[in-house]
Amino acid sequence: MLSKRLFSTSSRQLTKVAVSKLGNGITVITKPSSGKQAVGVYLNSGSRAENAYNSGISTLLGNLVTSSKSSKDALVNEGVKYYSSNAKEVTGLLSATYPRGNSKGALSAIKNTLESLESIVSDEVVLGEQKEKSIALTEAFENSPKDMVIEHMIGTAFQGTTLGLPKYGKAETIEVLQSLDLKNYLSKNLVSSNIAIVSVGDEINHESLAKFASQLPSINSGAKADFPETSFLGSDIRLRDDTLPQAHAAISVLTPGLHDTHAYYTGLVAAQINGSYEGVASPFSPFVGSTLAQLLEENHLIDSFDHFQLAYSDVGLWGGYFASHNVGCYDETIHFALKNWNRFSTGTVNEIEFAKAKAELKLRLLKAPACPVQHSESLATKAFALGYVPSEEEISSNVDSVTSSAISKWAQKYLYDQDIAIAGNGQIEALFDYNRIRNDMSTLRW
């Protein structure tokens, strides 16, 4: 039986998700599941823990771990497959899937890899190879118009701060990173208070994972460094490219982060009311899509769009992404989209739209990722930002608590007549200048 003295706080059970913080500072999370098994080590770091001179170091570190000799041995000897990931505030140092019946082998492989990190980052040959792989990842990301414009939108919104750095890093900084940089990064970020060890599956129970985490000799104790402060700047960035067949743009306003639960869920409901539109990829969109989707589709002004509520630990961005082949009328696409946004502040969203959006949102939020690695990363992200993992009942209750009047108050505070961040790419000649678009945030009314 694991001694209770290992825990600085008691285990919190939230609809099968158990979250505990050990005496050494490590967060332990377990989610029973009858599906595929996964266990991973996550850092509360991500690109936000980088700077302008080492941007991409988290991505490079993950690639080094998954391509190391320890990773290959884990696959050959134990059937354990390693993955890594990087986001704005979370780095998936290593996530492992493993065959049923071999949870001990998976934990043993992870322990061996963590103990070998210094030698892994010291291998100059592998380091050179993984620099190329990491640079290729940043280039592939830039070749996805939607991902690219949203990333640049975040970059211009929070320019000059670490939150504005690209999550996969920059090629020019990755290219010059050395082993010493990686060792310095590990010394600052691979500390107990900055780590979450997460298990998804039914073979590793909470007590055994906590015991495993408490006995890791390679993890130094220490306090997590706070993320640098950030600030929002109304601004735009445009990368006109007439060789692309479409015009792409993402527009957003500043909203609170995950710490403001009510504002976060209100923003989610507002985003779901306008929802997304996939064009020819979704033949039902013209019939069951949002009011905005029907308006833009009927007038041939849109190919696809998506609304989002991005939220980090302290700040967020609410907005939309719009892509259209009708580049000559792209100004009208944005005009009518922003005109639709102002429906929130005037309270003209009807009850049918409102109820439909809340039902769709609950289905989306309560659906667990099919991939156990993605599921474990999602659990780590919530635990880092909130200190716990919300239960299904809590999520559903938060969505239900959003009322029509709450949407109006939220929009009047965060949406109506607020500065915006814009990123555009492709054939964007018809995309109005910043001031014209900014004026649409206050002058439009139904």
Side-chain angles (χ1 to χ4, degrees):
M1 177 66 70
L2 182 62
S3 171
K4 292 183 179 179
R5 288 178 294 177
L6 285 174
F7 298 92
S8 61
T9 60
S10 62
S11 175
R12 181 172 182 176
Q13 187 75 24
L14 294 169
T15 313
K16 297 185 178 181
V17 180
V19 182
S20 299
K21 192 161 189 178
L22 305 186
N24 61 8
I26 295 178
T27 299
V28 177
I29 308 168
T30 53
K31 173 66 180 292
S33 170
S34 59
K36 294 181 180 179
Q37 314 287 302
V39 60
V41 178
Y42 295 89
L43 307 181
N44 191 191
S45 301
S47 60
R48 199 171 177 184
E50 301 172 353
N51 57 56
Y53 305 101
N54 69 359
S55 178
I57 194 169
S58 304
T59 298
L60 178 59
L61 177 61
N63 287 337
L64 282 169
V65 170
T66 55
S67 63
S68 65
K69 183 178 183 300
S70 294
S71 173
K72 295 173 183 175
D73 289 344
L75 181 60
V76 173
N77 299 329
E78 304 291 350
V80 176
K81 173 66 176 176
Y82 282 177
Y83 302 88
S84 66
S85 61
N86 204 51
K88 291 292 186 181
E89 295 185 340
V90 178
T91 294
L93 182 62
L94 67 94
S95 302
T97 57
Y98 58 92
R100 281 191 169 277
N102 198 26
S103 59
K104 291 184 179 180
L107 293 177
S108 177
I110 289 175
K111 181 179 179 182
N112 291 338
T113 302
L114 292 176
E115 292 174 348
S116 304
L117 280 177
E118 185 168 352
S119 63
I120 289 173
V121 301
S122 299
D123 191 328
E124 295 291 344
V125 175
V126 178
L127 177 59
E129 294 173 351
Q130 293 311 308
K131 282 184 184 180
E132 295 180 4
K133 180 179 177 180
S134 300
I135 291 172
L137 181 61
T138 66
E139 293 173 346
F141 186 79
E142 288 283 328
N143 289 329
S144 170
K146 179 180 179 180
D147 293 334
M148 188 267 282
V149 296
I150 291 179
E151 188 67 63
H152 282 291
M153 178 200 68
I154 299 170
T156 194
F158 302 114
Q159 57 187 279
T161 72
T162 58
L163 187 54
L165 294 172
K167 67 178 180 179
Y168 293 132
K170 297 181 288 187
E172 57 267 29
T173 53
I174 293 174
E175 191 172 13
V176 298
L177 291 173
Q178 304 296 325
S179 293
L180 182 60
D181 299 308
L182 289 157
K183 292 176 183 177
N184 289 336
Y185 177 84
L186 284 172
S187 67
K188 294 177 181 179
N189 292 281
L190 192 67
V191 293
S192 57
S193 62
N194 200 43
I195 294 174
I197 299 181
V198 186
S199 171
V200 173
D202 55 9
E203 294 203 2
I204 301 178
N205 62 43
H206 195 76
E207 188 172 89
S208 62
L209 189 63
K211 184 175 181 179
F212 167 79
S214 68
Q215 296 176 346
L216 288 174
S218 55
I219 304 300
N220 295 324
S221 60
K224 173 193 180 308
D226 293 333
F227 290 127
E229 290 186 7
T230 191
S231 59
F232 177 86
L233 180 65
S235 54
D236 68 345
I237 183 170
R238 299 168 186 240
L239 298 96
R240 180 173 172 178
D241 184 353
D242 288 346
T243 65
L244 295 178
Q246 296 172 300
H248 304 266
I251 305 175
S252 65
V253 296
L254 179 69
T255 57
L258 290 168
H259 65 283
D260 190 332
T261 300
H262 183 66
Y264 171 63
Y265 279 95
T266 304
L268 285 176
V269 173
Q272 190 66 46
I273 288 172
N274 279 342
S276 61
Y277 173 73
E278 300 300 331
V280 295
S282 179
F284 301 105
S285 293
F287 307 105
V288 298
S290 65
T291 300
L292 178 60
Q294 295 179 47
L295 171 67
L296 295 179
E297 193 276 336
E298 286 174 2
N299 291 280
H300 310 290
L301 294 174
I302 199 71
D303 295 332
S304 65
F305 70 72
D306 189 24
H307 284 79
F308 50 78
Q309 169 65 81
L310 306 177
Y312 309 105
S313 56
D314 53 349
V315 294
L317 291 173
W318 186 96
Y321 157 79
F322 308 91
S324 177
H325 275 91
N326 193 349
V327 296
C329 295
Y330 197 61
D331 56 332
E332 295 188 18
T333 300
I334 301 303
H335 169 83
F336 284 112
L338 300 190
K339 187 180 177 80
N340 183 278
W341 289 7
N342 276 278
R343 298 172 63 217
F344 297 126
S345 58
T346 57
T348 55
V349 177
N350 64 56
E351 289 300 321
I352 295 176
E353 292 177 277
F354 190 64
K356 176 174 177 286
K358 290 173 70 171
E360 291 172 342
L361 180 61
K362 284 194 283 188
L363 286 174
R364 181 164 63 86
L365 294 179
L366 297 176
K367 182 180 179 181
C371 173
V373 170
Q374 292 178 350
H375 197 174
S376 62
E377 181 176 355
S378 173
L379 295 172
T381 300
K382 293 173 183 176
F384 282 140
L386 301 173
Y388 70 101
V389 178
S391 67
E392 287 86 351
E393 288 82 359
E394 184 175 348
I395 292 171
S396 183
S397 175
N398 284 328
V399 174
D400 288 335
S401 69
V402 179
T403 62
S404 298
S405 61
I407 290 277
S408 296
K409 291 178 181 178
W410 171 88
Q412 289 164 9
K413 183 176 183 179
Y414 300 112
L415 189 59
Y416 175 69
D417 197 21
Q418 297 299 308
D419 286 340
I420 51 178
I422 307 171
N425 182 228
Q427 297 190 51
I428 53 174
E429 182 179 6
L431 183 65
F432 281 150
D433 65 77
Y434 179 86
N435 288 328
R436 287 283 296 274
I437 300 174
R438 170 63 179 85
N439 289 340
D440 275 355
M441 298 298 292
S442 60
T443 59
L444 295 179
R445 282 291 185 257
W446 285 94

